[in-house]
């Protein structure tokens, strides 16, 4: 209980004692290969003036720095940093900020051996010192050439898209009639390049897919492809984003790819090399014209050089029985690896089109990298991160026996058959709200015609391109395969991040709350949940083009199966914030496995579960069988609170920056979509109007507030408007008689002001409390807002008081609620998840008498609808004929409960310290 007082003192003293130096460490251990990396660092308020601070890295490492967020006083809140290439990366770096008057540090530490960027009207050329890459400003090609110091090793880098107007699976006889097939290529519309290019250059190419010279097919599927190049690097990191803007009944995607040509002319066919990543560090090593395994032996040196990818000895040194007969040895121009499932890939090759493929023994999970090139002409390797996890994928090498070969990385494989993203059922006759609500009672699906659309959802993939003067060794390519799938990640130490208060003051590192056995038990349980979900992703094969990064909502005990096919119980779409559990668990531990879980989720939820085009832009979709299927389109799913940690610790990942900014416009979607249209009292007449949107403060406003906060922090183009709307909201919300307990009210999206709801025009005080309001990041957003405002308590105090009242009364007795608000809140659930509200008010009002209530809600009575202390806390193996494949199950776990157990566990420990278990009985209830 002392923790509350001590905790506050602790935070104050930490902030003032902040150092100018921050240690950043690799989450995965020191990488063996570093082609540059970008990371973020938070700073405490007031410590460094943004326009007067420079940064250096220990060991003279090359560093480029920029500001990603500001405190309101103009001091640094978050910075982004690019660290250069290194053959011998350090195990950690110290980043030092130097303020004005510090003559020991130069203003900018620019290295002259860095990048060169030249811009002309037609193109942008980036020279890293190792490779030079040309980006045309228009046309079909995104990258016209990739050159090493002496050779062009890649050209015509372009996107390819295939689609068809129908799919044949409706035809019993397998015949397809009337289906048209289309092949689109990229059309570049806009190319921009970063301003500061000391260590890192970013080229952003925006465009659309087109059929040249074709007037009948409209351009579609807009893309943004970002190319990150680091000084002295041979590698290009590519972030590839598409948005689906087709008609799901007519536009069936059948191939999404990126293709590079590889010039091979002048290279002997036996000196041309193919490499394809297999399983773990495995690699297929072949030559277009093989000289091994023949009836006549050209000589051991010749064979081993070919296998190793080095230039063959002069042909005069070979056994002439081979050199005179080379024309009889077939050349293999085409290779194809197809990963149509997460469990296996097939591999084959052929001499050329029109001839049979020959099978090559395949494997399970390909590393998703391929190389084509020659011993003297050099070549190109292209890799796709999480290749097998994003199945169906494939990679092609084509025409390797001609003057120009090519590599195609298929993000969606043409071998998989057309992608069918139509609704999975016909609507079941649910043509009225009454029927839809009744259906919700049985499958928990909230269906409505017209809402089950993928129009506007996106997908982002990460690729790496590596350029070489000569064919690299197999070991090097294995290393690059690993780099592609596990790009090195640097993060500041958890204690540093916590003390800055730049990302919430409601989490702490393990152990600080007291190393009691009881706190340890909570830590162990959270660890169990993290590992359980990591294991379920693998065992349940939660992989695939759209699905990778999501988990499922609820378990079906009878089938020993998650309810992947049952309405609102299927894909989770961030319901009740598993994102916050995973990200805060990562922040406090720095664990690499947790980072990956959270990273994959942020790339999924931000893209697939949210809309980026059309009427729903800025909204996300409630959980369901298809990520976009449910008719509840909600800001609570798209809320930037789920992306924020990644955005800042990645140094401002630009794609995530776009996603966060989109939510600024969610007010336009609120005009078109009334989230509570089916459940509102029919007596309430509501016509959406920009000056009077009928919103819930937790599920709607919290999302837009987080978007405003980030825009303000970033000082983005709309930061002043965003700040002003936040201030207006904060001033006006407490004027509602019952504050947050009002639940829903009218929001003026032009000013940010709140006014009473239509059900209470005279502001006599509504009581509308929903268990859902508080479980989509509103507490976390408000806490971050209060930290951001800092001492501006004249503005924030009434608002914060109203919020703390909500925190207090949600879990208070009905009698207390009635005394305070004139009526009680009815029967509420999600008590365990809301224990963090009690902990929050206990901490902020320094009210130690509330601490037993916190733990009663988390571990005692309140845990009955969550994960109770006496739950099994282990999984059980199910195998044999009971299941398709052996699995571990934990029937007592639902994703809702796991998310809330995690978020509340982390926050309770941080806010009120370890539970006093002497008062807790064996069955988990709290005495007294
Ligand atoms: C792959 O890279 C990660 C991250 O740098 C590293 O921890 C791991 O040891 C590497 N694995 C192999 C097989 O090289
Ligand atoms: C730096 O920023 C501060 C606060 O925003 C401002 O007062 C000052 O003029 C700026 N100095 C320079 C050199 O831009
Ligand atoms: C000045 O730079 C030195 C060396 O980098 C560093 O130790 C010191 O903390 C800096 N002082 C300030 C005020 O930034
Ligand atoms: C390209 O994009 C930039 C940044 O969004 C914008 O300022 C510029 O006007 C665009 N140029 C063209 C030709 O569309
Ligand atoms: C080729 O590689 C093998 C092992 O991978 C090695 O034993 C052999 O010496 C290498 N040959 C050449 C010519 O580099
Ligand atoms: C050996 O290579 C040279 C140059 O590539 C070629 O002209 C010659 O015909 C080759 N000799 C034989 C015997 O194949």
């Amino acid at each position: 209980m002392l923790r509350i007082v001590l905790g506050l003192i602790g935070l104050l003293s930490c902030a003032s004692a902040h150092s100018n130096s921050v240690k950043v460490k690799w989450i995965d251990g020191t990488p063996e290969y570093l082609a540059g990396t970008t990371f973020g660092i938070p700073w405490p308020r007031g410590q460094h003036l943004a326009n007067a601070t420079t940064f250096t890295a220990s060991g003279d490492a090359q560093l480029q720095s920029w500001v990603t967020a500001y405190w309101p006083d103009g001091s640094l809140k978050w910075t982004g940093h690019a660290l250069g290439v290194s053959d011998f990366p350090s195990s950690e770096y110290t980043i030092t900020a130097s303020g004005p008057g510090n003559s020991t540090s130069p203003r900018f530490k620019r290295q002259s051996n860095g990048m060169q960027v030249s811009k002309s009207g037609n193109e942008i050329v980036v020279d890293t010192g190792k490779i030079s890459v040309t980006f045309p400003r228009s046309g079909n090609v995104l990258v016209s050439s990739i050159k090493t110091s002496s050779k062009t090793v890649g050209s015509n880098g372009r996107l390819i898209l295939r689609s068809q107007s129908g799919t044949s699976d409706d035809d019993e006889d397998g015949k397809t009639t009337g289906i048209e097939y289309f092949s689109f290529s990229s059309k570049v519309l806009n190319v921009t390049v970063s301003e500061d290019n000391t260590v890192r250059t970013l080229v952003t190419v925006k465009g659309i897919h087109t059929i040249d010279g074709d007037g009948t097919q409209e351009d579609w599927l807009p893309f943004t492809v970002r190319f990150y190049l680091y000084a002295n690097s041979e590698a290009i990191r590519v972030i590839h984003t598409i948005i689906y803007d087709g008609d799901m009944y007519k536009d069936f995607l059948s191939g999404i790819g990126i293709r590079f040509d590889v010039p091979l002319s002048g290279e002997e066919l036996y000196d041309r090399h193919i490499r394809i990543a297999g399983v773990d560090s495995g690699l297929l090593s072949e030559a277009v014209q093989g000289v091994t395994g023949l009836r006549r032996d050209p000589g051991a040196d010749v064979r081993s050089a070919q296998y190793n990818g080095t230039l063959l000895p002069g042909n005069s040194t070979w056994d002439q029985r081979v050199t005179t007969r080379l024309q009889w040895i077939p050349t293999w121009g085409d290779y194809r690896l197809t990963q149509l499932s997460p469990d296996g890939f097939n591999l084959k090759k052929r001499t050329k089109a029109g001839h049979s493929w020959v099978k090559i023994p395949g494997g399970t999970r390909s590393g998703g990298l391929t190389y084509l090139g020659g011993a003297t002409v050099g070549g190109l390797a292209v890799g796709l991160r999480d290749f097998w996890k994003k199945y169906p994928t494939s990679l092609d090498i084509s025409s390797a026996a001609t003057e120009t070969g090519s590599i195609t990385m298929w993000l969606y494989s043409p071998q998989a058959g057309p992608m069918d993203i139509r609704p999975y059922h016909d609507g079941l006759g649910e043509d009225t709200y009454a029927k839809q609500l009744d259906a919700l009672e049985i499958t928990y699906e909230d269906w409505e015609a017209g809402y089950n659309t993928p129009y506007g959802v996106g997908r982002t993939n990460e690729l790496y391109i590596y350029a070489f003067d000569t064919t690299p060794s197999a070991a090097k390519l294995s290393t690059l395969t690993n780099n592609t799938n596990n790009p090195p990640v640097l993060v500041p130490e958890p204690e540093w991040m916590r003390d800055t208060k730049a990302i919430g003051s409601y989490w702490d590192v393990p152990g600080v709350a007291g190393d009691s056995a009881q706190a340890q038990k909570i830590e162990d349980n959270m660890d169990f949940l993290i590992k359980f979900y990591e294991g379920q992703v693998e065992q349940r094969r939660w992989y695939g083009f759209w699905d990778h990064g999501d988990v499922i909502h609820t378990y079906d005990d009878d089938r020993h199966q998650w309810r992947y096919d049952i309405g609102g119980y299927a894909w989770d779409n961030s319901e009740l914030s598993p994102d916050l559990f995973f990200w805060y668990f990562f922040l406090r531990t720095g664990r690499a496995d947790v980072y990956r879980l959270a990273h994959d989720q942020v790339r999924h939820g931000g893209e697939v579960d949210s809309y980026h085009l059309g009427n729903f832009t800025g909204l996300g979709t409630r959980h369901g069988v298809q990520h976009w299927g449910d008719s509840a389109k909600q800001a609570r799913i798209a809320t930037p609170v789920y992306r924020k940690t990644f955005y800042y610790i990645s140094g401002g990942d630009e794609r995530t920056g776009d996603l966060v900014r989109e939510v600024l416009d969610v007010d336009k979607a609120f005009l078109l979509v009334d989230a509570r249209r089916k459940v509102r009292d029919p007596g309430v007449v509501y016509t959406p109007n920009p000056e009077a949107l009928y919103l819930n403060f937790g599920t709607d406003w919290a999302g837009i507030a987080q978007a405003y906060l980030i825009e303000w922090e970033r000082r983005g183009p709309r930061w002043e408007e965003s700040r002003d709307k936040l201030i207006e909201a904060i001033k006006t919300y407490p004027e509602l008689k019952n504050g947050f307990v009002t639940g829903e009210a009218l929001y003026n999206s032009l000013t940010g002001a709140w006014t009473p709801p239509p059900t209470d025009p005279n502001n006599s005080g509504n009581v509308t409390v929903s268990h859902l309001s508080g479980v989509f990041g509103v507490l976390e957003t408000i806490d971050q807002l209060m930290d951001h405002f800092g001492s501006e308590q004249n503005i924030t105090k009434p608002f914060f008081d109203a919020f703390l009242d909500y925190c207090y009364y949600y879990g208070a007795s009905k009698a207390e609620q009635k005394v305070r608000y004139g009526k009680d809140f009815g029967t509420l659930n999600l008590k365990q998840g809301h224990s963090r509200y009690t902990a929050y008010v206990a901490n902020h009002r320094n009210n130690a008498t509330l601490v037993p209530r916190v733990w009663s809600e988390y571990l005692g009575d309140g845990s009955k609808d969550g994960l109770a202390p006496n739950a099994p806390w282990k999984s059980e193996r199910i195998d044999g004929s009971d299941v398709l494949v052996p699995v571990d199950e934990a029937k007592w776990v639902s994703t809702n409960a796991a998310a809330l157990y995690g978020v509340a566990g982390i926050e309770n420990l941080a806010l009120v310290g370890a539970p006093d278990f002497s008062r807790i009985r064996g069955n988990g209830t709290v005495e007294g």
Side-chain angles (χ1 to χ4, degrees):
M1 286 181 208
L2 278 181
R3 158 100 185 142
I4 290 176
V5 176
L6 294 177
L8 291 177
I9 293 167
L11 283 174
L12 289 174
S13 59
C14 286
S16 56
H18 246 76
S19 139
N20 291 327
S21 294
V22 188
K23 233 179 240 175
V24 291
K25 292 183 171 171
W26 304 106
I27 60 170
D28 247 337
T30 313
E32 50 179 328
Y33 176 85
L34 179 61
T37 190
T38 299
F39 59 95
I41 301 181
W43 300 93
R45 174 197 303 274
Q47 184 157 318
H48 296 287
L49 263 189
N51 57 5
T53 307
T54 60
F55 298 90
T56 49
S58 55
D60 249 3
Q62 285 185 301
L63 193 72
Q64 176 181 327
S65 306
W66 57 91
V67 186
T68 48
Y70 301 82
W71 292 100
D73 65 2
S75 63
L76 297 178
K77 191 165 187 180
W78 284 91
T79 47
H81 304 271
L83 187 76
V85 172
S86 174
D87 289 340
F88 302 101
S90 299
S91 60
E92 61 181 46
Y93 295 86
T94 302
I95 308 299
T96 301
S98 307
N102 194 336
S103 55
T104 60
S105 301
R107 176 86 176 87
F108 281 110
K109 198 179 159 111
R110 286 189 192 276
Q111 264 94 352
S112 53
N113 60 348
M115 315 281 292
Q116 283 181 8
V117 176
S118 57
K119 295 182 249 185
S120 73
N122 299 328
E123 60 190 30
I124 291 167
V125 183
V126 181
D127 190 339
T128 69
K130 256 221 172 120
I131 58 170
S132 164
V133 187
T134 303
F135 301 91
R137 287 190 189 268
S138 60
N140 299 120
V141 166
L142 282 69
V143 177
S144 57
S145 73
I146 302 176
K147 293 181 190 156
T148 63
S149 54
S150 54
K151 300 160 192 172
T152 298
V153 297
S155 59
N156 285 320
R158 59 210 185 271
L159 307 182
I160 342 175
L161 182 72
R162 294 185 190 163
S163 72
Q164 55 191 70
S165 63
T167 174
S168 60
D169 65 1
D170 305 321
D171 296 340
E172 283 181 8
D173 61 4
K175 291 183 191 159
T176 59
T177 48
I179 295 182
E180 288 184 280
Y181 298 85
F182 306 103
S183 187
F184 296 79
S185 66
S186 36
K187 176 158 94 182
V188 172
L189 296 174
N190 191 349
V191 184
T192 53
V193 62
S194 47
E195 297 282 325
D196 181 2
N197 301 301
T198 331
V199 174
R200 187 188 92 162
T201 295
L202 164 60
V203 175
T204 306
V205 182
K206 294 191 185 211
I208 197 155
H209 293 83
T210 191
I211 304 180
D212 267 342
D214 178 292
T216 64
Q217 288 305 305
E218 279 182 32
D219 296 350
W220 72 308
L221 218 82
F223 64 81
T224 301
V225 183
R226 293 184 162 93
F227 297 88
Y228 295 85
L229 300 98
Y230 289 81
N232 281 316
S233 176
E234 68 206 358
I236 310 171
R237 176 171 180 257
V238 183
I239 299 288
H240 169 288
T241 301
I242 49 158
I243 312 291
Y244 184 82
D245 65 343
D247 174 342
M248 62 181 153
Y249 296 104
K250 291 202 318 239
D251 300 312
F252 292 80
L253 289 167
S254 54
I256 302 171
I258 177 163
R259 177 174 295 162
F260 284 87
D261 291 343
V262 180
L264 295 167
S265 83
E267 193 76 281
E268 298 291 357
L269 294 165
Y270 48 69
D271 278 322
R272 299 185 184 190
H273 305 122
I274 279 97
R275 302 287 182 263
I276 296 176
V279 180
D280 297 331
S281 304
L283 200 70
L284 177 85
S285 296
E286 297 208 340
V288 169
Q289 188 175 44
V291 296
T292 60
L294 299 170
R295 188 166 185 190
R296 307 291 172 219
D297 180 5
D301 287 355
V302 178
R303 284 184 282 112
S304 89
Q306 186 175 62
Y307 179 69
N308 290 348
T310 53
L311 184 66
L312 266 49
N315 57 9
S316 61
T317 69
W318 306 17
D319 186 323
Q320 296 302 301
R321 287 175 297 174
V322 178
T323 41
T324 55
R325 297 189 175 92
L326 282 174
Q327 66 275 23
W328 312 130
I329 304 176
T331 56
W332 302 94
D334 298 350
Y335 281 72
R336 174 168 293 164
L337 182 148
T338 45
Q339 181 89 50
L340 302 186
S341 98
D343 293 309
F345 64 83
N346 293 320
L347 195 52
K348 58 188 181 180
K349 66 180 181 180
R350 66 181 179 187
T351 54
K352 58 186 169 190
H355 297 273
S356 174
W357 291 94
V358 172
K359 281 194 297 182
I360 306 172
T364 50
R365 293 168 167 183
S366 163
L369 176 132
T370 186
Y371 167 86
L372 171 64
T376 63
V377 301
L380 210 61
V382 180
L384 171 64
R385 180 176 187 175
D386 293 327
F387 180 81
W388 62 265
K389 295 178 185 172
K390 293 245 175 125
Y391 81 95
T393 47
S394 58
L395 50 89
D396 279 348
I397 283 181
S398 310
S399 308
T402 69
E403 298 287 277
T404 308
S406 71
I407 296 175
T408 310
M409 180 62 72
W410 291 103
L411 313 181
Y412 185 87
S413 173
Q415 270 68 51
M419 179 194 289
D420 195 339
I421 49 181
R422 292 174 296 181
Y424 78 100
H425 68 60
D426 63 6
L428 309 168
E430 297 175 32
D431 51 13
T432 62
Y433 286 170
K435 290 180 191 171
Q436 290 160 22
L437 291 170
D438 197 46
L440 185 72
E441 288 296 322
I442 185 72
T443 62
Y444 202 36
E445 181 174 63
D446 184 356
W447 188 90
E448 185 175 346
Y451 284 79
N452 48 352
T453 176
Y455 183 91
V457 306
R459 198 54 163 143
T460 286
N461 279 282
E462 184 166 344
L463 300 96
Y464 288 81
I465 300 161
Y466 307 94
F468 305 97
D469 259 340
T470 57
T471 297
S473 70
K476 170 92 186 233
L477 287 168
S478 287
T479 300
L480 298 183
T481 302
N482 190 23
N483 183 69
T484 299
N485 287 287
N486 302 300
V489 175
L490 276 175
V491 283
E493 293 183 307
E495 292 83 355
W496 171 278
M497 296 197 277
R498 172 199 63 197
D499 292 348
T500 65
K501 304 178 107 188
I503 185 109
S505 302
Y506 41 73
W507 60 273
D508 205 338
V509 299
V512 171
D515 44 12
S516 68
Q518 293 85 357
Q520 189 54 48
K521 185 69 190 142
I522 296 172
E523 295 289 350
D524 291 348
N525 289 346
M526 291 195 289
D527 177 64
F528 168 85
L529 292 172
I530 297 268
K531 293 204 177 109
F532 178 67
Y533 275 89
E534 288 169 351
Q536 294 297 295
V537 169
E538 166 61 9
Q539 292 182 355
R540 310 291 178 163
R541 300 299 190 268
W542 291 335
Y543 299 121
F545 181 91
W546 294 111
D547 303 334
H548 178 231
D550 208 347
V551 300
I552 292 194
H553 183 282
T554 306
Y555 200 67
D556 178 344
D557 296 356
D558 297 306
R559 286 187 287 168
H560 307 288
Q561 171 69 277
W562 288 83
R563 303 185 198 174
Y564 68 95
D565 57 346
I566 302 183
Y569 294 111
W571 290 117
D572 194 59
N573 289 26
S574 297
E575 185 70 3
L576 314 193
S577 314
D579 313 58
L580 297 185
F581 174 25
F582 298 157
W583 277 119
Y584 299 149
F585 197 88
F586 168 70
L587 280 179
R588 61 204 292 279
T589 61
R591 256 169 61 177
D593 61 322
V594 188
Y595 175 86
R596 276 188 281 273
L597 193 61
H599 167 273
D600 296 347
Q601 192 185 32
V602 89
R603 285 279 189 226
H604 169 88
E607 301 287 358
V608 184
D609 300 343
S610 311
Y611 288 94
H612 318 289
L613 269 183
N615 292 353
F616 301 146
T617 301
L619 296 173
T621 300
R622 176 181 175 267
H623 38 101
V625 172
Q626 290 167 303
H627 300 285
W628 46 77
D630 203 88
S631 75
K633 304 301 179 192
Q634 299 260 354
R636 69 187 210 212
I637 315 296
T639 172
V641 77
Y642 297 152
R643 332 281 174 232
K644 183 171 192 168
T645 308
F646 177 67
Y647 175 66
Y648 285 127
I649 65 167
S650 66
D653 173 76
E654 283 72 13
R655 173 58 190 159
T656 308
D658 287 352
L659 296 174
V660 166
R661 189 159 286 144
E662 277 166 7
V663 180
L664 287 177
D665 281 323
V666 72
D667 50 353
K668 301 194 175 58
F670 287 142
L671 288 174
L672 302 166
V673 185
D674 174 8
R676 269 159 295 282
R677 63 196 178 280
K678 297 185 194 175
V679 292
R680 189 171 286 127
D681 180 339
V684 179
V685 180
Y686 169 52
T687 313
N689 160 358
E691 293 177 27
L693 294 168
Y694 198 2
L695 302 186
N696 179 288
F697 95 90
T699 50
D700 300 320
W701 180 79
I704 196 169
Q706 184 61 254
Y708 288 153
L709 173 59
I710 297 175
E711 183 71 1
W712 179 9
E713 290 175 335
R714 291 164 83 178
R715 302 233 170 143
R718 293 171 60 185
W719 76 271
E720 284 160 307
E721 168 203 333
S722 299
R723 177 201 56 195
D724 293 349
K725 285 183 182 171
L726 280 172
I727 290 173
E728 196 58 23
I730 282 171
K731 280 185 181 158
T732 51
Y733 206 97
E735 289 166 9
L736 300 176
K737 173 144 190 282
N738 285 344
F740 286 92
V741 172
T742 312
E744 301 173 13
L746 293 178
Y747 176 72
N748 184 333
S749 65
L750 307 180
T751 64
W754 287 97
T755 47
T759 48
D760 180 25
N762 299 324
N763 197 22
S764 45
N766 268 8
V767 173
T768 309
V769 178
S770 157
H771 61 295
L772 289 182
S773 293
V775 287
F776 292 89
V778 68
L779 179 149
E780 293 73 17
T781 294
I782 288 175
D783 182 71
Q784 292 171 14
L785 257 176
M786 293 304 113
D787 278 343
H788 195 68
F789 274 99
S791 57
E792 299 279 350
Q793 289 191 10
N794 54 331
I795 299 176
T796 57
K797 191 162 185 311
F799 175 86
F800 197 50
D801 277 343
F803 179 61
L804 292 180
D805 276 351
Y806 181 84
C807 294
Y808 179 85
Y809 283 101
Y810 186 93
S813 69
K814 287 189 178 181
E816 280 184 279
Q817 293 165 352
K818 190 149 190 270
V819 169
R820 168 71 175 77
Y821 293 101
K823 88 188 233 207
D824 67 49
F825 296 175
T827 302
L828 292 167
N829 57 9
L830 305 184
K831 288 260 161 85
Q832 183 173 57
H834 279 82
S835 61
R836 70 191 202 265
Y837 283 75
T838 311
Y840 196 75
V841 61
N843 180 297
H844 284 273
R845 290 200 170 138
N846 220 355
N847 182 352
T849 60
L850 275 178
V851 175
R853 202 184 100 190
V854 173
W855 294 116
S856 168
E857 287 163 356
Y858 189 69
L859 299 166
D861 270 2
S863 71
K864 283 179 185 157
D865 65 1
L867 301 179
N870 58 0
W873 292 105
K874 60 183 170 46
S875 59
E876 196 183 334
R877 190 73 171 174
I878 311 289
D879 53 18
S881 58
D882 284 348
V883 281
L884 181 68
V885 294
V887 290
D888 296 312
E889 76 174 16
K891 290 179 175 172
W892 50 279
V893 173
S894 75
T895 305
N896 276 356
L900 292 180
Y901 185 91
V903 180
I906 290 169
E907 298 187 5
N908 292 345
L909 288 173
L911 293 164
V912 300
D916 177 0
F917 273 52
S918 59
R919 295 161 46 82
I920 295 178
R921 297 193 196 97
N923 64 2
T925 59
V926 178
E927 289 175 14

